Amino acid sequence: MPKTKTIKKIAVLTSGGDSPGMNAAIRAVTRKAIVNGMEVVGVQKGYQGLLEEEFIDFSMRSVSDTIQRGGTILRTARSEEFKSDEGKKKAAEICREYKIDAVVVIGGDGSYKGALGLSHEGIAVMGLPGTIDLDIACTDYTIGFDTAVNTALEAIDKIRDTSTSHERCSIVEVMGRNAGYIALWCGVASGAEDILIPEKYTYDEQDIINHIIESRKIGKTHHLIINAEGIGHSTSMARRIEAATGMETRATILGYMQRGGSPTCKDRYYASIMGAMASDLLYEGKINRVIGYRNGEFTDFDIDEALSMTKSISEYQYDIARVLAH
Ligand code: ATP
């Protein structure tokens, strides 16, 4: 598989869960590609839209007035059809028919796997990390995480206020799929008493109950627990904790609100740089790469290599979270 190729026409799509900042990425991919002399088509509804030839010819103006908007102007989807070998072959044939040399995929690691499959069918790809979950191994930053944690934090602060007034225990469930990054960041930033993340949780609720009883003894008037989606069961957990401690306990599942909203400055900025880099790399003929941010630098990796990487929550940061919660 050659790693360089002359790219004249690119397609851009968003795939998997939407995340704030995707529009800034689409805009930057489009504008930098056009400035570089390439043609751009927007694909609606991710890989499914690619299979259904839902293409829009993009100009500089197609992406006007989008940088501040949440969601994705291209819509997004999860496509079972594309996952099959026949689906990827058909998608590659459609790309060839439309003379699309490369597809820029903005999404999570599932979308990257799809992109890798498409590259095996002879279509050049470029991945941009678009997920609120921060769970892509090759990068310390993903588009949408910053907005999502700030949206969640605003809600958690409000719940904390009323929790203190009523001397309640509150369990707030945040998103993140199987990763605990959103929970860890929101837990530390909200001063939560307990932070439950899938990577560390022992499923021993007695630990939490003991912690609540201890906290009451030292005069804490509320008990805030941030629970990650990957653990879930917040409502039944609240019932069990209330029964065991006698402290009124309520669960709030923040849900999809964390995916929406106007992106923060950081998400707009990083998505803009990453999107522009994607088009520059393709212009230089570099293909089958993904863009990341590591050790203070924007960088790129081979997509195969990126998908084989792993990352984990820092032990040190997790320990700090526990110490500060006392
Ligand atoms: P998020 O992290 O926000 O959920 P994601 O990109 O990981 O985003 P997925 O639902 O896992 O979301 O993947 C999005 C789409 O990518 C799938 O619907 C499918 O079309 C394609 N895809 C996922 N995994 C594969 C795979 N192993 N092979 C081919 N295509 C895949």
Side-chain angles (χ1 to χ4, degrees):
M1 168 65 52
K3 300 285 179 188
T4 63
K5 185 174 171 172
T6 303
I7 308 290
K8 295 197 186 98
K9 182 172 179 180
I10 66 168
V12 57
L13 61 82
T14 47
S15 170
D18 65 343
S19 66
M22 279 182 161
N23 289 331
I26 296 166
R27 173 178 175 271
V29 167
T30 302
R31 292 203 168 158
K32 197 71 172 84
I34 292 172
V35 167
N36 289 344
M38 298 188 279
E39 279 180 70
V40 184
V41 292
V43 183
Q44 291 198 293
K45 299 183 200 148
Y47 292 123
Q48 194 56 39
L50 181 54
L51 291 170
E52 290 167 14
E53 302 172 39
E54 291 203 43
F55 300 139
I56 310 163
D57 289 328
F58 266 4
S59 69
M60 284 286 193
R61 298 276 69 77
S62 306
V63 289
S64 298
D65 197 26
T66 60
I67 194 166
Q68 78 282 18
R69 294 184 199 283
T72 159
I73 55 165
L74 287 173
R75 312 279 179 264
T76 183
R78 300 189 199 268
S79 170
E80 281 307 311
E81 187 186 352
F82 180 79
K83 269 192 181 178
S84 66
D85 289 346
E86 300 76 53
K88 279 173 282 204
K89 276 193 177 49
K90 181 178 163 191
E93 274 160 27
I94 291 169
C95 287
R96 278 187 278 273
E97 190 187 321
Y98 281 82
K99 301 202 180 331
I100 293 166
D101 301 308
V103 179
V104 178
V105 174
I106 308 168
D109 52 6
S111 301
Y112 281 10
K113 284 181 199 147
L116 179 64
L118 193 58
S119 76
H120 291 155
E121 297 300 331
I123 301 299
V125 296
M126 182 65 64
L128 286 170
T131 171
I132 63 168
D133 303 335
L134 198 67
D135 60 349
I136 298 180
C138 69
T139 183
D140 300 335
Y141 164 84
T142 59
I143 297 165
F145 175 76
D146 190 59
T147 307
V149 286
N150 280 293
T151 301
L153 190 62
E154 203 183 323
I156 294 165
D157 284 346
K158 290 177 176 146
I159 292 166
R160 184 184 164 138
D161 286 346
T162 173
S163 196
T164 307
S165 306
H166 288 268
E167 302 197 2
R168 259 188 212 132
C169 171
S170 287
I171 304 176
V172 185
E173 186 174 312
V174 296
M175 289 180 101
R177 295 187 97 176
N178 297 319
Y181 295 100
I182 296 179
L184 180 65
W185 280 57
C186 287
V188 170
S190 65
E193 276 67 31
D194 279 296
I195 304 169
L196 313 181
I197 58 173
E199 294 87 341
K200 302 282 179 190
Y201 191 50
T202 60
Y203 289 87
D204 183 0
E205 279 177 9
Q206 196 56 46
D207 272 355
I208 305 168
I209 291 161
N210 293 344
H211 191 194
I212 293 172
I213 294 166
E214 291 301 311
S215 296
R216 295 283 277 181
K217 279 190 199 146
I218 61 167
K220 288 221 183 196
T221 51
H222 70 267
H223 197 97
L224 178 60
I225 301 170
I226 304 299
N227 186 28
E229 177 185 13
I231 295 170
H233 303 289
S234 297
T235 308
S236 56
M237 195 187 283
R239 276 199 297 273
R240 288 189 295 273
I241 288 175
E242 181 166 315
T245 62
M247 189 175 191
E248 190 189 5
T249 305
R250 292 285 175 269
T252 307
I253 298 166
L254 295 184
Y256 287 126
M257 67 176 293
Q258 294 160 93
R259 288 249 200 93
S262 180
T264 58
C265 180
K266 179 169 180 172
D267 278 332
R268 295 182 204 191
Y269 185 85
Y270 279 47
S272 296
I273 304 298
M274 288 178 153
M277 269 181 78
S279 289
D280 278 344
L281 288 176
L282 289 172
Y283 179 64
E284 291 160 18
K286 293 195 185 126
I287 60 169
N288 307 338
R289 314 283 300 167
V290 298
I291 312 284
Y293 183 83
R294 262 202 166 175
N295 305 322
E297 302 277 353
F298 293 98
T299 181
D300 57 287
F301 301 89
D302 184 82
I303 188 165
D304 243 333
E305 184 193 340
L307 277 169
S308 66
M309 293 178 179
T310 54
K311 79 171 173 187
S312 52
I313 298 266
S314 148
E315 288 292 333
Y316 179 64
Q317 290 174 28
Y318 181 67
D319 284 348
I320 289 173
R322 289 172 70 89
V323 169
L324 299 185
H326 276 87

